[in-house]
């Protein structure tokens, strides 16, 4: 029985539109690029803003968890929320490459096109309810990322892009291998069906664990979680900063959202639930520990932030585990705050390091005294990343920790309790390296006298990023309330 | 905005003024800071004036809903903006406003980055006083944690040669402590309810609010309240009421879940204990203090010793002992042991120190050990003694660090063996030092004596009174007084008496002049207060003891 596919068009308008501006971007560049360089750039930004508006518009027409396109895609309110965040990430990146002097060579329609494409892919990933559509979205994101990593046009960029590609291709291979097993046991590609999880659970234990691990491995790679995190520092170091900020947020959010969806599906079956809780909490513990402990030894700002974002992804993964509406709130809250923190950190990094190619922390010496405003903003971002009051990082961690504690008390699961304790104790470890840039900024005397000039628009952009990190503490119930309203919890 | 909020947030206004002032007016930064801290001092005197001495519970309450999180299936979490004073914190609040005022005068000569210095100083003022006044655990934690940041920069930017190391060590140690408190706080946040707000959620009404509370608590014990209607709280006073705990949570009083061989309540008590002992600091988590003191500049040392350490011991009383009195009895021996070890071990360390500031830092640890012992004994006298000792040590240690600052400013050398016979060269300085040393070692007639005697009396009596600790602890602590006499008198003899001699001969002897006017106006009031409170201890005890007696009662009867 065939449904009419066009009746679902309304649900996929933003994606179609994104595809349109991806193509339009190329055409506009061909037609107007020679005449005026700003026209294609403006086209991209306006396009993304329109896409976000279209996504917001979807709130009007959706019911809870509605399937469409022959159940290839699902949509509900929290997916829309995540799509909005993803849209903001793309928009901020586009704005960044247009206002920052250092990123000026990124302000070309090609970069813009790939950013739009990967936003499209991320949207499909989040909404996927069929392994094929999941792979489709994942690959759109991945291929765009491989290319974007190369845009620093130097040896390091080429190296990081190639590394990223090789690791990525390999892990996608593993993931598809895992999916083929799961298809064999579950009898379907539609992972949202209850039947699928229950049938899968009857598979022999070894193959069950084997296939699930392989499948999750691909997602862990996208998110840069523990066993598949090794690519992150090298790629982050080589790729242009704006792109790194983009990498550290967009694929991560999309991947974590997919993990959350998969977890939600598998949790209905007790066998799968115990496997998932074990795997995910073990990976979260390992990522938090490995990320933070490795970051301790870094002297390069970008590498340090790479390890930090591995640890942060571990925290967000932990938020998935309790699986109730409160933990979903904490998951989405952490996700949104993470976007501002990480994006802000990289943007500040680009401003403060100025023209230098190496992001060695030493180069920050004494800058905070000459640029107090920027210093204070980096301070707020770093304090928020540690998770100290009075910043949103603390609110996010507070929500996460209460939900984890309650979950371990409820289920008497000691692994979750261990995860809770590791997560809390890691705040202290992370303090040590998050303070490092501040230590150089404020405590060290000035070494290089080159005065970095900051433009007003850069400062404004910083303030836009930093403001939510303060407001999110002092009225964080409002933030929480907003998230609950938008997601219909 | 009522008086207590004004007391906390007045410095923020001053920060605003400092920030808008142009750079060429940098001389005004200290004036603004001095005015702001003086206003705070006056405000704190007004608070004393409004305080009802005979009423032992919280007064001048300011309570608003601040954050209410809808935790969905778990109910609500209500966090209040809740300030109030009682006997435990009033004296400490007045002490802090006073010491902060002294600290501004002591930092009169700060030239480098004065804008940042005074902004951070004012931030520190707000957070220390806020920490003393907060009665909601979340708010308390906010202030408790926030004071680390300004302190980190104050040590790290204006300190001595190894300031970076000292600052990061200070931050890491105290943050590790705060993290333990955070774990406890998260556990508590979903274990207890606020009865009145829960009643509101359930649409219950009662004749009086007392009826209503009893009704809700009764239903809670029968587990009749739906989970969604529970309003969790972090209000310290509500957390101290055992009938507010939700049945089946790890932290309810009758829960028998054992984690790693201990009950969950015991674990939470130990977490809070470690967290606060780091700040006190007590053996074995004290090692950050000597480093921080040695590297910090004089005014920052003063603030650190006389106020920041008190937030630790105050937190122990206000949070750990109030919320978990049952565990306080259970682990009284542990707290007392750590206190006594701190007293004696730190005193021996002080004996061995050649750096005068390090010696005083160790003596600080030793004297804070008395506070810990007094808290552990948990009798009415010993707790009053502990609070009295906090105030008295606040005054005395401020004076001690200022006195060290006097020689250090002149010669940039603090070694005891570099000086001899200073008495002949600096008579007023020597007199004040002798008085302060004697006050610190607990000579009768000075405030140090009263605090230590009350603590020791209480600790001796604890055995027969509530049986928490045996009298041997008090015997051990008495030995500590002897040691403190030893290191102070020995230092006096080496540095001040005998024939005048200094290491760098004529160069230094020119620099070693007697106290300047500015040093006198900050040292004389402190010395005056030591004697005043030593002769008329009831000035403080009238404020402190009703509340302390109530707390001691509460701990025994839990």
């Amino acid at each position: 029985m065939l449904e009419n596919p066009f009746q679902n068009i309304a649900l996929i308008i933003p994606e179609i539109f994104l595809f349109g501006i991806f193509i339009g971007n190329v055409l506009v560049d061909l037609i107007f690029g020679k005449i005026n360089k700003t026209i294609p750039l403006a086209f991209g930004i306006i396009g993304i803003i329109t896409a976000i508006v279209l996504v917001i518009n979807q709130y009007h027409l959706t019911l809870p968890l509605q399937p469409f396109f022959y159940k290839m895609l699902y949509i509900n309110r929290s997916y829309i929320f995540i799509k909005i965040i993803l849209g903001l990430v793309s928009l901020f990146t586009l704005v960044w490459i247009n206002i920052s002097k250092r990123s000026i060579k990124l302000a070309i329609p090609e970069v813009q096109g790939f950013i739009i494409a990967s936003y499209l892919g991320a949207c499909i990933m989040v909404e996927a309810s069929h392994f094929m559509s999941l792979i489709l979205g994942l690959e759109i994101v991945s291929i765009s990322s491989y290319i974007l990593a190369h845009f620093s046009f130097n040896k390091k960029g080429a190296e990081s892009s190639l590394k990223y590609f090789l690791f990525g291709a390999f892990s996608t291979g593993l993931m598809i291998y895992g999916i083929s097993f799961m298809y064999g046991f579950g009898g379907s590609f539609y992972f949202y069906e209850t039947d699928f999880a229950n049938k899968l659970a009857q598979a022999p234990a070894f193959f069950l664990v084997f296939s699930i691990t392989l499948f999750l491995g691909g997602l862990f790679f996208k998110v840069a979680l523990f066993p598949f995190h090794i690519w992150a520092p090298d790629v982050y170091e080589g790729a242009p900063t704006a792109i790194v900020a983009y990498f550290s947020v967009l694929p991560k959010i999309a991947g974590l959202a997919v993990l959350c969806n998969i977890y939600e599906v598998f949790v209905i079956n007790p066998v799968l639930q115990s496997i998932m809780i074990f795997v995910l909490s073990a990976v979260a513990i390992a990522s938090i520990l490995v990320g933070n402990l490795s970051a301790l030894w870094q002297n390069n700002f970008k590498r340090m932030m790479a390890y930090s974002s591995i640890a942060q992804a571990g925290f967000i993964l932990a938020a998935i585990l309790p699986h109730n509406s409160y933990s979903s709130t904490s998951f989405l809250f952490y996700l949104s705050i993470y976007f501002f923190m990480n994006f802000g950190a990289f943007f500040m990094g680009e401003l403060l390091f100025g023209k230098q190619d190496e992001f060695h922390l030493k180069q920050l010496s004494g800058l905070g005294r000459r640029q107090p405003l920027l210093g204070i903003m980096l301070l707020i971002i770093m304090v928020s990343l540690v998770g100290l009051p009075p910043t949103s990082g603390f609110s996010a961690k507070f929500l996460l920790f209460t939900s984890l504690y309650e979950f371990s008390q409820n289920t008497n699961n000691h692994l979750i309790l261990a995860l809770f304790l590791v997560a809390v104790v890691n705040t202290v470890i992370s303090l040590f390296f998050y303070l490092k840039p501040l230590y150089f900024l404020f405590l060290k005397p000035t070494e290089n006298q080159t005065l970095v000039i900051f433009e007003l628009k850069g400062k404004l952009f910083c303030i836009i990023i930093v403001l939510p990190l303060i407001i999110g503490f002092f009225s964080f119930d409002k933030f929480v309330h907003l998230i609950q309203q938008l997601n219909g919890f | 905005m009522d008086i207590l909020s004004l007391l906390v947030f007045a410095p923020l206004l001053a920060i605003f003024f400092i920030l808008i002032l142009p750079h060429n007016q940098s001389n005004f930064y200290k004036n603004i800071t001095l005015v702001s801290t003086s206003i705070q001092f006056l405000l704190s005197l007004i608070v004393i004036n409004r305080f009802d001495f005979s009423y032992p519970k919280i007064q001048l309450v300011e309570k608003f809903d601040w954050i209410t999180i809808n935790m969905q299936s778990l109910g609500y979490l209500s966090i209040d903006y809740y300030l109030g004073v009682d006997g435990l914190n009033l004296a400490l609040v007045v002490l802090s406003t006073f010491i902060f005022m002294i600290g501004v005068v002591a930092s009169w000569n700060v030239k480098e980055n004065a804008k940042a210095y005074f902004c951070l100083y004012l931030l520190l003022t707000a957070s220390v006083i806020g920490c003393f006044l907060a009665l909601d655990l979340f708010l308390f934690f906010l202030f408790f944690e926030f004071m680390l940041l300004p302190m980190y920069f104050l040590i790290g930017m204006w300190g001595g040669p190894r300031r970076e190391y000292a600052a990061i060590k200070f931050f890491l140690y105290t943050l590790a402590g705060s993290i333990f408190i955070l774990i406890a706080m998260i556990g508590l946040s979903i274990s207890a309810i606020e009865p009145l707000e829960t009643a509101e959620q359930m649409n219950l009404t009662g004749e009086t609010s007392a009826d209503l509370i009893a009704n809700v608590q009764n239903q809670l014990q029968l587990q009749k309240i739906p989970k969604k209607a529970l309003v969790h709280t972090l209000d310290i006073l509500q957390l101290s009421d055992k009938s507010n705990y939700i049945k089946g949570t790890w932290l309810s009083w009758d829960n028998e879940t054992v984690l790693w061989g201990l009950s969950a309540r015991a674990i939470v008590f130990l977490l809070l204990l470690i967290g606060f002992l780091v700040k006190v600091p007590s053996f074995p988590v004290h090692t950050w203090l000597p480093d921080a003191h040695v590297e910090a500049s004089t005014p920052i040392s003063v603030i650190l010793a006389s106020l920041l350490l008190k937030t630790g011991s105050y937190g122990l009383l206000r949070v750990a002992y109030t919320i978990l009195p049952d565990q306080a009895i259970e682990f009284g021996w542990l707290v007392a042991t750590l206190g006594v070890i701190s007293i004696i071990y730190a005193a021996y360390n002080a004996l061995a120190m050649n750096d005068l500031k390090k010696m005083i830092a160790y003596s600080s640890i030793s004297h804070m050990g008395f506070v810990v012992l007094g808290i552990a004994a948990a009798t009415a006298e010993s707790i009053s003694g502990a609070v009295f000792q906090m105030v008295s040590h606040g005054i005395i240690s401020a004076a001690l660090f200022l006195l060290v600052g006097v020689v250090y400013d002149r010669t940039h050398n603090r070694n005891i063996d570099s000086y001899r016979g200073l008495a002949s060269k600096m008579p007023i300085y020597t007199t004040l030092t002798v008085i302060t040393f004697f006050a610190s070692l607990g000579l009768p007639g000075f405030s140090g004596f009263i605090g230590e005697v009350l603590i020791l009396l209480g600790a001796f009596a604890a055995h027969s009174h509530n049986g928490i600790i045996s009298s041997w602890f008090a015997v051990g602590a008495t030995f500590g007084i002897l040691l403190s006499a030893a290191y102070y008198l020995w230092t006096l003899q080496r540095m001040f008496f005998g024939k005048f001699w200094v290491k760098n001969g004529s160069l230094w002897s020119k620099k070693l002049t007697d106290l300047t006017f500015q040093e006198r106006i900050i040292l004389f009031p402190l010395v005056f207060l030591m004697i005043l409170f030593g002769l008329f201890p009831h000035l403080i005890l009238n404020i402190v003891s009703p509340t302390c007696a109530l707390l001691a009662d509460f701990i025994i009867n839990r």
Side-chain angles (χ1 to χ4, degrees), chain B residues 112-326:
Chain B
E112 181 199 359
N113 269 323
K115 194 175 206 166
Y117 181 89
F118 287 105
C119 283
L120 289 169
Y121 189 89
L122 285 164
L123 270 182
L124 192 65
T125 322
S127 55
V128 168
I129 293 172
C131 181
F132 283 133
L133 287 173
L135 291 173
D136 189 285
L137 192 51
F138 191 90
L139 192 65
F140 175 87
F141 184 78
L142 162 67
F143 287 125
F144 190 79
E145 188 116 322
F146 186 69
M147 72 177 80
L148 304 186
L149 266 181
M151 203 61 193
Y152 169 73
F153 288 111
L154 283 171
I155 296 175
M157 287 172 77
W158 289 271
R162 283 171 77 230
R163 54 177 185 261
E164 290 110 354
Y165 166 78
I168 189 78
K169 191 170 181 182
F170 160 78
F171 206 158
L172 281 177
Y173 263 79
T174 41
L175 183 78
S178 317
I179 288 307
F180 289 124
I181 299 168
L182 176 66
I183 299 178
M185 184 172 99
I186 282 165
L188 288 165
S189 74
I190 58 164
S191 303
I193 60 154
E194 153 89 62
L196 280 177
E197 288 181 41
T198 307
E200 212 172 284
Q201 283 297 323
M202 297 165 67
N203 295 319
L204 288 180
T205 44
E207 293 274 296
T208 60
S209 59
D211 276 353
L212 203 55
I213 291 173
N215 186 5
V216 170
Q217 288 178 338
N218 193 20
Q219 289 201 35
L220 184 71
Q221 293 315 310
L222 298 171
Q223 290 178 299
K224 274 186 181 163
I225 305 181
K227 248 187 153 186
K228 275 195 97 101
L230 295 171
V231 180
H232 301 277
T233 184
L234 280 170
D235 178 341
I236 292 172
L237 301 183
Q238 300 292 353
L239 288 174
S240 67
D241 187 343
K242 82 169 105 173
S243 36
N244 279 343
Y245 282 83
I246 302 160
K247 255 193 156 33
T249 53
W250 280 342
L251 295 182
S252 65
W253 284 58
D254 48 5
N255 193 290
E256 278 158 9
T257 315
V258 174
L259 303 164
W260 305 294
L262 287 167
S263 76
R265 279 183 78 79
I267 292 175
V268 164
F269 179 78
L270 292 177
L271 289 172
L272 288 174
L273 182 69
I274 299 170
F276 288 123
L277 283 188
V278 170
K279 201 69 169 260
V280 169
S282 158
F283 176 86
V285 279
H286 64 279
T287 51
W288 61 270
L289 186 80
D291 284 315
H293 269 312
V294 167
E295 299 308 326
S297 61
T298 304
I300 302 309
S301 271
V302 169
I303 305 293
L304 182 62
S306 71
L307 302 178
L308 258 68
L309 307 191
K310 305 304 175 289
T311 58
S313 45
Y314 168 74
L316 208 54
L317 273 177
R318 173 68 81 202
V319 180
Y321 271 63
T322 313
I323 296 180
L324 303 135
D326 51 336

Side-chain angles (χ1 to χ4, degrees), chain A residues 77-94:
Chain A
R77 295 179 77 97
S78 35
Y79 297 177
I80 297 176
F81 182 80
I82 292 175
K83 275 161 67 179
I84 294 173
I85 298 183
L86 293 171
L88 288 178
V89 177
S90 320
L91 177 65
F92 275 45
T93 317
L94 288 187

Side-chain angles (χ1 to χ4, degrees), chain A residues 123-349:
Chain A
C123 287
I124 295 175
M125 253 174 103
V126 172
E127 290 176 341
S129 60
H130 186 280
F131 282 124
M132 281 302 134
S133 45
L134 177 62
I135 293 287
L136 175 72
L138 192 85
E139 282 306 281
I140 296 177
V141 177
S142 304
I143 293 171
S144 325
S145 319
Y146 304 148
I147 301 168
L148 282 174
H150 182 53
F151 270 97
S152 55
F153 298 116
N154 56 21
K155 221 171 148 191
K156 263 203 168 155
E159 182 196 327
S160 74
S161 165
L162 192 64
K163 265 187 190 162
Y164 195 20
F165 171 69
L166 289 176
F167 275 118
F170 180 67
S171 71
T172 314
L174 286 184
M175 186 174 173
I176 293 174
Y177 191 47
I179 288 174
S180 68
F181 274 101
M182 286 163 88
Y183 174 64
F185 294 121
S188 168
F189 276 126
Y190 296 98
F191 56 80
Y192 255 89
E193 286 171 358
T194 15
D195 244 21
F196 174 75
N198 287 334
K199 271 189 196 161
L200 182 63
Q202 288 162 8
F206 170 75
F207 286 105
L208 186 59
V209 176
F210 183 66
S211 60
I212 289 181
T213 338
L214 285 182
F215 169 65
L216 292 179
L219 290 173
F220 291 161
F221 170 79
K222 276 285 110 195
V223 185
L225 280 165
F226 165 59
F228 297 93
H229 68 284
I230 344 158
W231 59 274
D234 289 343
V235 174
Y236 282 25
E237 198 186 352
T241 317
I243 301 301
V244 171
Y246 189 63
F247 281 171
S248 74
V249 184
L250 182 120
K252 245 179 222 223
I253 291 181
L256 284 162
V258 173
L259 274 171
C260 185
N261 296 345
I262 299 278
Y263 183 70
E264 243 165 63
V265 175
F266 283 5
V267 121
I268 45 175
N269 185 291
V271 180
L272 291 183
Q273 186 191 20
S274 59
I275 294 177
M276 286 298 273
I277 288 186
F278 177 76
V279 173
L280 292 191
S281 50
V283 167
I285 291 176
S287 303
I288 294 172
L289 278 176
V290 168
N292 278 336
L293 291 176
S294 318
L296 286 180
W297 313 111
Q298 305 305 321
N299 285 319
N300 182 306
F301 182 73
K302 276 177 164 177
R303 288 187 82 87
M304 188 194 94
M305 284 308 296
Y307 283 112
S308 129
S309 68
I310 293 167
Q312 297 285 348
F315 281 107
I316 307 177
L317 183 65
I320 295 173
L321 289 166
H323 184 251
N324 52 36
S325 53
Y326 178 54
S327 76
S328 309
T329 313
S330 85
F331 172 64
L332 293 175
F333 189 93
Y334 207 124
L335 220 56
S336 353
I337 293 303
Y338 170 76
F339 156 50
F340 287 107
M341 295 191 300
N342 239 33
F343 219 77
F346 280 112
F347 187 68
M348 298 297 303

Side-chain angles (χ1 to χ4, degrees), chain A residues 325-326 369 388-390 398 401-402 405-406 409 417 424 428 431-432 435 439 443 474 476-477 484 489, chain B residues 66 68-72 74 112-113 145-146 156 164 168 171-172 175 179 183 186 189-190 227 249-250:
Chain A
S325 53
Y326 178 54
R369 299 187 186 203
L388 297 183
F398 184 77
F401 292 158
T402 42
Y405 175 89
E406 205 273 345
Q409 175 178 280
L417 191 63
V424 180
V428 185
L431 173 81
F432 191 77
L435 271 185
Y439 164 80
L443 269 50
F474 285 102
F476 93 89
D477 51 340
Q484 286 168 345
F489 293 146
Chain B
W66 174 26
T68 306
I69 306 167
N70 184 352
M71 299 170 91
Q72 307 288 342
L74 315 181
E112 181 199 359
N113 269 323
E145 188 116 322
F146 186 69
E164 290 110 354
I168 189 78
F171 206 158
L172 281 177
L175 183 78
I179 288 307
I183 299 178
I186 282 165
S189 74
I190 58 164
K227 248 187 153 186
T249 53
W250 280 342

